[in-house]
Each structure stands twice: as structure tokens, then as C-alpha cells.
Amino acid sequence: MSKGLLIFGTGKIAEVIYYYATEECGYKVAAFTIDEQYRTGNTFLGLPVIPFHEIEKLYPPVEYDMFVALGYHDINALRENKCKEAIARGYHLASIVSPNTHVPKNVTIGHNVFIMPPSIIHPCVKIGNNVFVWSGSVVGHHSHIKDNCWLTSGCNVSGNVVMGENTFVAINATIGHSVIMGRDCFVGANALIIKNAQDGQVFIAESTKPLKVNSKQFLKFSNFSSL
């Protein structure tokens, strides 16, 4: 990599991004940055933490790219806004795509995208800007994941899906073939979506109800006790 990398954020997401950026994607991370009111120390993972309003003075955009490593707060709006601020300051936003995901060559990927292995991305997929795809996710052929989305581990996006901006898809959720999702949707864990969704809709699967017996009683009278 010809330019160094700055990471916005000092939380757990930033720590994950740091690992993949340095260990699998060949980036040299120079520093972390965060808004001054959230800075709790001068270093993080052994590197300096610089207030965001001062970052370009010490690490100018001509020499460094940036990655915004924030979560899905406010349906990804916080991360979206910080990306806009970084771009306004002149930074190019890098994407951290592990080579171990083996993304097909005809997949298009925007800026500030994170793809963690072992995700499966089919050919002919379009991934917009500021999209996070966590381990074990599947994105089917000809699907279009628009800007600022978050796909959590193990979710399944079938082929020819259009996912609207700022949509969150939780663990093990499934979006059916050719479904069109509106923007700002929240799809909870294990939910199954087979019809088009309007903007801002929420889908929550029912939680598994506990049995009336406790775990010791269950194991005593179940087939598990003979294993």
C-alpha cells in the first residue's frame, strides 16, 4: 500500500478492522482518531489517538487514507455521517476486504466497505459505499446492497435482491430471491423475508420459548443422557 491508513474509532469494531487491515490486507495503520469528547486515552493498540478535528494537520489526506470503523448506531447513520465528514476533510476512504473471501472479479465495491471471511459473495453483485459484511454471510448473484448497510454474521441474502440504504440484517436472517428492501429497514435474528419491504419496516422473529423443565431434568429424561 502506497498510503498509510487512519482508523476512525477506538472501540471493538475498530479493533477488528485493525486486525484485518494489518494482518490480511497489507495496510500500515499510522493512528486512530475519534471526536475529542469520546477520547479516553492518548493511545489505542499501541498507536496514537488523535482528536478528529486535528487529524489532517498531523496526518494529511495526501499521505493517508481513512476507514470509519463504527457500528450500526441509528441504523448506520452515525457511520454514514462520519464518512461524509472524512471525505469533506479530503480523505479517501479505503475498503478492507479480506483476500480470503475470494470476491469474484466482476463484483463492484464502494468505499469504506468491510468484508470479513468466510463470507460468500456471488458474481455480478454490487456493494455500495460504507457496507459491512460479517463472517458467514451470503450475498447471492445479481444482488445490489446499497450504501450504509450492515449484514451480520450468518445472514443470507438471496439472488437478485435489492437492499435499500441504511438497512440492518441480523444474524441468521434470510432475504428471499428477488426481494426489494426499502431503506432504513431492521431485520432481526432468524427473520425470513419473502415479500418486498417498505422503508423503515421492522421484522422480528419470535424468540424460542423455554421448556417448563430445567436443564438437569431435561437431560435426565432425554436421549442426550445416553450419549
Side-chain angles (χ1 to χ4, degrees), residues 9-10 31-34 39-45 47-51 55:
T10 55
F32 293 86
T33 184
I34 196 74
R39 194 163 67 113
T40 58
N42 295 323
T43 62
F44 182 69
L45 300 180
L47 295 174
V49 178
I50 309 300
I55 189 67

Side-chain angles (χ1 to χ4, degrees), residues 99-118:
N100 293 320
T101 59
H102 305 293
V103 176
K105 293 180 179 179
N106 69 347
V107 170
T108 61
I109 296 174
H111 60 248
N112 213 77
V113 170
F114 173 54
I115 302 180
M116 181 194 292

Side-chain angles (χ1 to χ4, degrees), residues 21-224:
T22 57
E23 295 296 328
E24 296 196 8
C25 296
Y27 281 98
K28 176 66 175 179
V29 177
F32 293 86
T33 184
I34 196 74
D35 291 328
E36 175 64 31
Q37 64 267 35
Y38 300 111
R39 194 163 67 113
T40 58
N42 295 323
T43 62
F44 182 69
L45 300 180
L47 295 174
V49 178
I50 309 300
F52 190 45
H53 71 276
E54 299 178 355
I55 189 67
E56 63 264 39
K57 298 177 184 177
L58 298 173
Y59 300 92
V62 294
E63 299 178 16
Y64 297 91
D65 292 338
M66 188 176 291
F67 189 93
V68 179
L70 298 176
Y72 46 87
H73 311 285
D74 298 327
I75 313 295
N76 303 294
L78 176 61
R79 197 175 70 257
E80 175 188 6
N81 290 333
K82 288 303 175 184
C83 285
K84 291 178 180 178
E85 289 183 37
I87 292 171
R89 290 172 182 263
Y91 287 100
H92 168 74
L93 297 181
S95 286
I96 308 300
V97 179
S98 169
N100 293 320
T101 59
H102 305 293
V103 176
K105 293 180 179 179
N106 69 347
V107 170
T108 61
I109 296 174
H111 60 248
N112 213 77
V113 170
F114 173 54
I115 302 180
M116 181 194 292
S119 298
I120 300 175
I121 313 295
H122 289 188
C124 308
V125 165
K126 295 180 181 179
I127 297 178
N129 301 318
N130 191 32
V131 173
F132 279 43
V133 181
W134 288 77
S135 60
S137 298
V138 176
V139 181
H141 63 91
H142 294 92
S143 288
H144 183 187
I145 312 300
K146 294 188 178 181
D147 296 350
N148 314 311
C149 288
W150 186 288
L151 306 183
T152 302
S153 298
C155 72
N156 296 284
V157 178
S158 301
N160 202 41
V161 167
V162 177
M163 185 170 294
E165 293 88 346
N166 295 76
T167 288
F168 172 87
V169 183
I171 190 168
N172 292 332
T174 297
I175 313 297
H177 184 77
S178 294
V179 166
I180 299 175
M181 302 289 297
R183 63 173 300 133
D184 299 315
C185 290
F186 184 98
V187 182
N190 295 314
L192 171 63
I193 313 300
I194 60 173
K195 294 183 179 180
N196 294 348
Q198 302 300 312
D199 292 352
Q201 286 194 299
V202 176
F203 301 88
I204 301 295
E206 184 178 0
S207 178
T208 302
K209 294 181 174 61
L211 296 176
K212 294 182 179 180
V213 297
N214 62 38
S215 58
K216 292 182 179 179
Q217 292 170 326
F218 173 74
L219 292 173
K220 181 178 180 180
F221 296 106
S222 71
N223 290 332
F224 288 105

